[in-house]
Amino acid sequence: MDRFRRAAWAALPLLLPLLAAGTASAAPSTPSPSLTYGGVASVRPGDTLTIDARSGEASYGDTLHASVFMATGKLRMRDPLLTTTVTIACDARPGTQPVIRRGAGDVGPDEHPFRWARVRVLPVDEDARRACREKVKRLPTPDLEERWAPGDTWPQSEWDVRTFRAGSRVTLTDNDDEGADGYISLTSRAFADRPVLRGARAVLTATATLKCGAAPGLYVVYRHDAGQSGPDRPWARLRVAPAASGKSCSTDQAAARSPGTSRAPVVAWTAGGVFLAAAAGTLLFLRARNRRRGAEGARARSTV
């Protein structure tokens, strides 16, 4: 019995870390607070607050502001919701504050403000506020990419990022430049060509071919307006995925045909040039020989 007791005490130091790890994994993680229309969210300084709105509760591009937010939140599309994230300021004092929504087209600070929801800031001590200041320094850069419904034309916004395979052909649609038929061209490092937006009505479209050799990653599409001054501005973004395996790439085929068609005329013209030069040399040789023979015949007759 003593032997078993001694073995149990000897194994106890090895079991304690395992028991502690099991307890820690079983403890629930604190969820990030979220806020919806008409609701109240309880937050602490340094919290990242997610704000979600359904269709009819807000519009794309609307902004949400509260005195305890470190910065104004702008609603972006994450189909099927409009969403943004804001950070609660480290010096936010306890109490309930309104969250104000303003429309995307509002130009003045007091134009059409709307009390959309509320946040309740919970009390914290000074140690928590100091920890908050260190926390906000390490916050990641906000993710600006948007996810629109698959059936929507692309792009719906500058950050409407869709994924296409290298070598594929994609259609770009512009709903905001009525009457600009043929006046807007698009460029990107992912494009094998320079498409031009065309259309006689409100909707302009263009088709671009993605390079077969475009490396996977995020690419910017720039627009150039006829007669513009200054650099081209970002207009859209896309993500390139690798070309489908086992399939030939159309832009590679075009590139393969292009050198052949460009070399053939060069070879033909070169061969023709050699032939003409040889023919001209032969003709000159024959003329010179005939003149020489004629001169020799004339000298022979004069001697006789």
Side-chain angles (χ1 to χ4, degrees), residues 28-136:
S29 59
T30 303
S32 175
S34 61
L35 180 65
T36 57
Y37 175 61
V40 181
S42 296
V43 295
R44 291 179 172 82
D47 280 351
T48 298
L49 176 66
T50 301
I51 304 177
D52 293 326
R54 296 180 178 87
S55 176
E57 298 174 346
S59 300
Y60 174 78
D62 286 358
T63 57
L64 296 167
H65 171 77
S67 61
V68 296
F69 292 173
M70 290 186 63
T72 298
K74 181 179 179 180
L75 288 173
R76 296 182 176 276
M77 178 59 74
R78 299 282 197 280
D79 180 60
L81 298 174
L82 294 168
T83 184
T84 187
T85 56
V86 294
T87 302
I88 307 303
C90 295
D91 59 356
R93 295 300 165 183
T96 301
Q97 300 290 334
V99 175
I100 303 300
R101 178 185 65 82
R102 291 190 173 91
D106 293 353
V107 293
D110 299 323
E111 184 177 358
H112 307 302
F114 179 78
R115 294 194 174 212
W116 195 80
R118 293 177 296 164
V119 290
R120 180 183 298 114
V121 180
L122 302 177
V124 296
D125 57 23
E126 288 305 315
D127 289 340
R129 294 188 188 279
R130 282 193 292 270
C132 171
R133 296 184 186 96
E134 293 300 319
K135 176 184 177 180
V136 297

Side-chain angles (χ1 to χ4, degrees), residues 12-296:
L12 186 58
L14 300 176
L15 294 174
L16 286 175
L18 296 177
L19 292 173
T23 304
S25 61
S29 59
T30 303
S32 175
S34 61
L35 180 65
T36 57
Y37 175 61
V40 181
S42 296
V43 295
R44 291 179 172 82
D47 280 351
T48 298
L49 176 66
T50 301
I51 304 177
D52 293 326
R54 296 180 178 87
S55 176
E57 298 174 346
S59 300
Y60 174 78
D62 286 358
T63 57
L64 296 167
H65 171 77
S67 61
V68 296
F69 292 173
M70 290 186 63
T72 298
K74 181 179 179 180
L75 288 173
R76 296 182 176 276
M77 178 59 74
R78 299 282 197 280
D79 180 60
L81 298 174
L82 294 168
T83 184
T84 187
T85 56
V86 294
T87 302
I88 307 303
C90 295
D91 59 356
R93 295 300 165 183
T96 301
Q97 300 290 334
V99 175
I100 303 300
R101 178 185 65 82
R102 291 190 173 91
D106 293 353
V107 293
D110 299 323
E111 184 177 358
H112 307 302
F114 179 78
R115 294 194 174 212
W116 195 80
R118 293 177 296 164
V119 290
R120 180 183 298 114
V121 180
L122 302 177
V124 296
D125 57 23
E126 288 305 315
D127 289 340
R129 294 188 188 279
R130 282 193 292 270
C132 171
R133 296 184 186 96
E134 293 300 319
K135 176 184 177 180
V136 297
K137 291 178 183 178
R138 300 189 298 270
L139 288 177
T141 303
D143 182 13
L144 300 179
E145 291 189 21
E146 298 174 357
R147 183 180 65 249
W148 291 76
D152 291 339
T153 58
W154 174 73
Q156 292 291 319
S157 73
E158 179 186 344
W159 283 98
D160 175 12
V161 179
R162 313 279 178 105
T163 300
F164 305 99
R165 289 192 178 276
S168 62
R169 290 174 64 81
V170 298
T171 300
L172 301 100
T173 304
D174 180 8
N175 300 298
D176 301 320
D177 293 285
E178 183 176 0
D181 176 33
Y183 287 92
I184 302 171
S185 59
L186 306 173
T187 58
S188 174
R189 292 191 298 109
F191 290 174
D193 46 12
R194 186 187 179 102
V196 177
L197 289 168
R198 305 303 302 261
R201 297 185 179 179
V203 178
L204 308 178
T205 60
T207 302
T209 303
L210 302 186
K211 294 177 181 177
C212 294
L218 187 67
Y219 290 83
V220 180
V221 178
Y222 297 91
R223 65 175 283 167
H224 178 86
D225 293 57
Q228 79 173 41
S229 60
D232 297 344
R233 66 178 178 87
W235 186 72
R237 286 168 175 83
L238 73 152
R239 180 167 282 106
V240 173
S245 60
K247 293 185 178 181
S248 59
C249 189
S250 60
T251 56
D252 284 346
Q253 292 173 353
R257 287 194 301 269
S258 178
T261 55
S262 61
R263 282 196 301 267
V266 173
V267 173
W269 279 105
T270 303
V274 171
F275 175 78
L276 290 175
T282 302
L283 180 61
L284 292 174
F285 171 76
L286 292 175
R287 287 182 176 178
R289 188 181 63 179
N290 290 337
R291 286 197 296 271
R292 187 167 58 253
R293 287 180 177 178
E296 290 174 355

